[in-house]
Amino acid sequence: MKAGKVLLRQEVFSSDAWKLIEWLEDTEITQYLNEKQNVGNSIRQVISRVNLPILTHLFNQDGSFFILTTPEDEPIGFLRLIPKGNNTEMVIVIGDKKRWGMGLGSSAIFQGLKHAFFQWRSDKVVAKIKFKNERSVRVFKKVGFKKEKELLKEAQYAISIDEFLKSAA
């Protein structure tokens, strides 16, 4: 696989859901997330109740959910886009720890920005990043996000459509 290439897949298959459970139950992966502690169990219950090969509709409530994949369609993480008025909040996780540090995060963020700005017509995309999450701060800054404000446990970073277009040119 060429380092740094990530695709967004909107379809969520039951095999992806099992991978999500694995990632969400690994504290090294989830230590900086705001997800509820029992999210793995919630997904497990949904899988057992629903018995469908495709679970896309269950993951796309309150926004859009994407499985991050390699060009060979191997799941490596996920990205959520949550509408907030004219803005969009982005949450990204590279769940495949052996692929950390390969530039996949910035590629995934770029793909998510394209979706938020060109499909949803968002004015701005924000990411709320916990203060100790230095890796995420670095990757969001690399893509062009700037610190907008400090909250209680995290900082909010943002990029506007104009800043995105300038950086992509």
Side-chain angles (χ1 to χ4, degrees), residues 4-92:
K5 181 75 171 148
V6 174
L7 303 174
L8 303 182
R9 175 166 40 84
Q10 191 121 38
E11 293 80 27
V12 181
F13 301 107
S14 56
S15 59
D16 298 322
W18 286 110
K19 195 58 102 168
L20 285 166
I21 291 168
E22 180 185 320
W23 295 332
L24 292 170
E25 291 180 346
D26 184 329
T27 53
E28 191 178 4
I29 294 170
T30 61
Q31 65 183 323
Y32 300 119
L33 285 180
N34 293 323
E35 303 295 326
K36 296 176 191 79
Q37 292 293 10
N38 301 352
V39 74
N41 284 334
S42 301
I43 296 171
R44 220 181 245 105
Q45 289 171 2
V46 166
I47 293 171
S48 66
R49 270 198 327 265
V50 176
N51 195 24
L52 290 172
I54 299 177
L55 305 170
T56 306
H57 63 289
L58 300 169
F59 286 89
N60 281 283
Q61 298 169 13
D62 305 321
S64 286
F65 186 92
F66 300 93
I67 297 294
L68 302 175
T69 70
T70 64
E72 298 79 30
D73 202 35
E74 181 186 343
I76 58 161
F78 66 88
L79 182 137
R80 282 188 67 206
L81 296 174
I82 305 126
K84 306 275 185 179
N86 289 344
N87 300 332
T88 300
E89 184 176 336
M90 180 184 289
V91 177
I92 177 177

Side-chain angles (χ1 to χ4, degrees), residues 102-122:
M102 296 175 67
L104 301 173
S106 54
S107 175
I109 292 167
F110 185 76
Q111 297 298 326
L113 288 172
K114 289 194 309 189
H115 190 87
F117 290 134
F118 303 136
Q119 304 291 318
W120 286 12
R121 304 282 187 232
S122 294

